[in-house]
Amino acid sequence: MVEMNSMYNSLLQIPMFQGISTGDLTAILGKIEIYFRKVSKGEVFIKEGDDCNNIIFIIKGGVESFFKGKNYDFMFIEKYAANEIIEFYSLFGSSTKYTKSYMAAEDSFLVFIDKKYLLPQFRLYDIFNINVLNMLCSKIQSCRSKIMLGNAQTTEDKILQLFARLSDIKYGEKRMLVRMEDLAKIIGETRLTTSRALNSLKENNMILLKRKEIVLKEARNITGIMMENFTI
């Protein structure tokens, strides 16, 4: 089990708790129900469409999100590292259901806090409200940056922009399981042109190509698009 001191340090690194003293955090944790969960590699612990009732922190390990395209046949997979909050933007709003499924990429420790226990703390600690507003504004700015990416001039940029628009976070590994012909339809190019663009990206060490799979090992390596403007 994760040691208490390690948990405190990890929680204080999460945007929602930044600026809160250790004493205040101890007081908060004493008033809410919190539980730990160890998830084994390959275990799916959230399914798309599940109710989002908990704030979930990754304390140790790594998690992958995945979702299938609605109009095209593909699956997009994104890796989350420790100290990330899982899909916090689905906690409130018109839809409070998870938009993706989540699986442990390795043996991991998670912390679950029922949102009904945390809501009263917003009235007691202004820093909570400021942090949550910052997180929501950052998410909105990220979405706007994706909208403002503009028209790609090359097929290579169309592929990179697709990864950027599908991504929730600006760093880490991204994978897309897709057939060549389906990818060509998504970006509005021919299969041959798409194949040439993928091979060009591979030769420039921007992606790895596997059978029916495109791997972007590190999203920060994307160039030619506004990925640096992503703030989540």
Side-chain angles (χ1 to χ4, degrees), residues 67-93:
F67 67 92
K68 295 182 178 179
K70 303 301 182 184
N71 299 317
Y72 297 97
D73 188 13
F74 73 88
M75 179 178 288
F76 190 77
I77 304 167
E78 196 169 13
K79 190 167 184 179
Y80 295 70
N83 296 334
E84 286 288 346
I85 302 177
I86 294 177
E87 206 167 314
F88 73 91
Y89 50 83
S90 293
L91 286 165
F92 310 103

Side-chain angles (χ1 to χ4, degrees), residues 122-138:
F122 290 166
R123 296 193 294 268
L124 300 177
Y125 299 93
D126 288 338
I127 190 65
F128 257 151
N129 297 317
I130 294 172
N131 287 342
V132 171
L133 282 174
N134 281 333
M135 292 165 64
L136 292 175
C137 287
S138 294

Side-chain angles (χ1 to χ4, degrees), residues 35 43 51 83 94 103 161 169 189 197 199 203 217:
Y35 70 94
E43 179 181 349
D51 290 331
N83 296 334
S94 58
M103 176 180 71
Q161 282 193 4
I169 49 179
E189 295 285 354
N199 285 321
E203 289 172 2
K217 292 299 293 183

Side-chain angles (χ1 to χ4, degrees), residues 16 34 42 48 52 56 58 64 73 79 83 102 111 119 126 130 139 155 157 162 167 180 189 197 203 217 230:
M16 184 176 289
I34 181 172
E48 180 181 350
C52 183
I56 304 176
I58 306 171
E64 287 184 333
D73 188 13
K79 190 167 184 179
N83 296 334
Y102 293 84
V111 169
L119 283 174
D126 288 338
I130 294 172
K139 181 62 180 178
T155 306
D157 279 351
L162 177 63
S167 298
M180 187 77 68
E189 295 285 354
E203 289 172 2
K217 292 299 293 183
F230 289 11

Side-chain angles (χ1 to χ4, degrees), residues 73-179:
D73 188 13
F74 73 88
M75 179 178 288
F76 190 77
I77 304 167
E78 196 169 13
K79 190 167 184 179
Y80 295 70
N83 296 334
E84 286 288 346
I85 302 177
I86 294 177
E87 206 167 314
F88 73 91
Y89 50 83
S90 293
L91 286 165
F92 310 103
S94 58
S95 175
T96 55
K97 295 184 181 297
Y98 287 104
T99 61
K100 306 175 184 179
S101 298
Y102 293 84
M103 176 180 71
E106 56 188 286
D107 290 348
S108 303
F109 288 100
L110 309 176
V111 169
F112 288 70
I113 302 176
D114 193 316
K115 64 182 180 184
K116 69 182 179 183
Y117 293 111
L118 201 54
L119 283 174
Q121 306 308 314
F122 290 166
R123 296 193 294 268
L124 300 177
Y125 299 93
D126 288 338
I127 190 65
F128 257 151
N129 297 317
I130 294 172
N131 287 342
V132 171
L133 282 174
N134 281 333
M135 292 165 64
L136 292 175
C137 287
S138 294
K139 181 62 180 178
I140 293 170
Q141 291 164 2
S142 173
C143 292
R144 186 177 185 280
S145 294
K146 296 177 187 181
I147 294 172
M148 299 300 290
L149 284 176
N151 295 322
Q153 300 301 310
T154 67
T155 306
E156 288 85 349
D157 279 351
K158 285 185 178 182
I159 294 169
L160 294 178
Q161 282 193 4
L162 177 63
F163 270 78
R165 288 193 166 105
L166 293 175
S167 298
D168 233 7
I169 49 179
K170 68 178 182 181
Y171 68 86
E173 181 180 286
K174 324 286 181 182
R175 293 187 288 140
M176 191 173 188
L177 309 183
V178 64
R179 296 182 303 172

